[in-house]
Amino acid sequence: MSLPLAFGTELASIPAMRRYLQAEPARLAEWEARLGPRTRPRVGLVWSGNAQHANDHNRSIPFALLARLLELDCQFVSLQKEYRDADRDALDASPVVRMDAHLNDFSDTAALCELMDVVIAVDTSVAHLAGALGKPLWVMLPQVADWRWLTVRTDSPWYPDARLFRQDKPGDWAGVIDAVKDALATQA
C-alpha cells in the first residue's frame, strides 16, 4: 500500500490498466454451467464487506436497501461469500442468485465476476478484484470514501472501467441506489 508513495505516484502517473488479472478458463466453464443459460443481463452484487473493517459502518449497506434495484429485469448474482444475519430474510425472499456454497477461494470469485455484465459493489476486495479483471464496475461509495476513490470523481484512475456513485450526504444510500438503478435501467 505504500508503493505509490515510494514511487512518487501522482494522478497523472497512475499506471491504470484495463485488465491485469484473468480467471482460469476451467473455472469459467464450471461457473458458466452453474449459472445456466444467459437470458438477461447478469449483474454481480456486493453490498457489505468485513464487519471488522474500521470503516465498515460507512461502506456497507443493508441488503434490504437494494430492493428497488432488484425490480429491474436482470439476473442478479451475489458475489459475497458471507452474509450478515440482518440480511438473511430479505436476501432469501429476493430473486438474487446465491453462489456462496460454491465460492471456495478468490479464484472462484474471479471466475464468477468474469461472467457478469457489470459488478455493482461497495468498497470491498471484490470491487478491487472486478476492477483488476477489467469488468465494468460500479462502486457505491459513502460521502467520505477511502483515499483510492479520490473525492469528487465519478471515474477511477486505478480502474478505467469503473464508475463511482457517491452519497450526496452521509448515510444517503437511497440516493446512490436510485442513481445506480437509473444507470442500470438504461443499459439493461
Side-chain angles (χ1 to χ4, degrees):
M1 298 305 294
S2 61
L3 287 178
L5 177 63
F7 290 131
T9 304
E10 296 181 7
L11 193 57
S13 65
I14 292 174
M17 296 175 60
R18 280 222 156 355
R19 176 187 182 104
Y20 54 91
L21 293 179
Q22 63 184 15
E24 299 169 19
R27 291 211 189 193
L28 280 172
E30 291 171 17
W31 281 99
E32 186 70 56
R34 280 189 187 107
L35 286 173
R38 182 185 298 261
T39 58
R40 300 173 289 161
R42 286 186 182 150
V43 179
L45 294 176
V46 179
W47 57 92
S48 64
N50 181 345
Q52 303 307 312
H53 185 278
N55 196 36
D56 189 65
H57 64 285
N58 286 320
R59 70 176 184 153
S60 289
I61 302 172
F63 177 79
L65 292 181
L66 298 179
R68 290 189 311 271
L69 184 63
L70 303 178
E71 296 168 357
L72 296 173
D73 187 26
C74 298
Q75 180 185 27
F76 291 97
V77 179
S78 171
L79 302 176
Q80 295 197 184
K81 174 71 176 156
E82 298 175 355
Y83 303 103
R84 296 171 190 215
D85 290 338
D87 291 337
R88 291 189 191 277
D89 289 342
L91 180 60
D92 290 343
S94 79
V96 173
V97 176
R98 292 179 53 180
M99 292 292 184
D100 47 292
H102 305 288
L103 290 171
N104 297 311
D105 56 33
F106 232 39
S107 293
D108 286 321
T109 306
L112 190 54
C113 283
E114 286 269 20
L115 298 172
M116 300 298 113
D117 294 305
V118 63
V119 172
I120 300 172
V122 294
D123 182 11
T124 63
S125 59
V126 177
H128 294 281
L129 176 63
L133 291 165
K135 294 304 298 179
L137 167 66
W138 296 358
V139 186
M140 299 181 290
L141 295 170
Q143 186 182 40
V144 178
D146 184 78
W147 65 269
R148 286 170 282 231
W149 305 114
L150 304 174
T151 55
V152 294
R153 296 176 69 128
T154 58
D155 66 336
S156 169
W158 301 100
Y159 306 120
D161 294 317
R163 184 171 173 188
L164 310 179
F165 294 82
R166 297 175 184 274
Q167 292 178 348
D168 288 331
K169 58 185 178 207
D172 181 24
W173 287 117
V176 170
I177 293 165
D178 285 344
V180 168
K181 181 181 178 182
D182 290 346
L184 189 57
T186 63
Q187 292 193 350

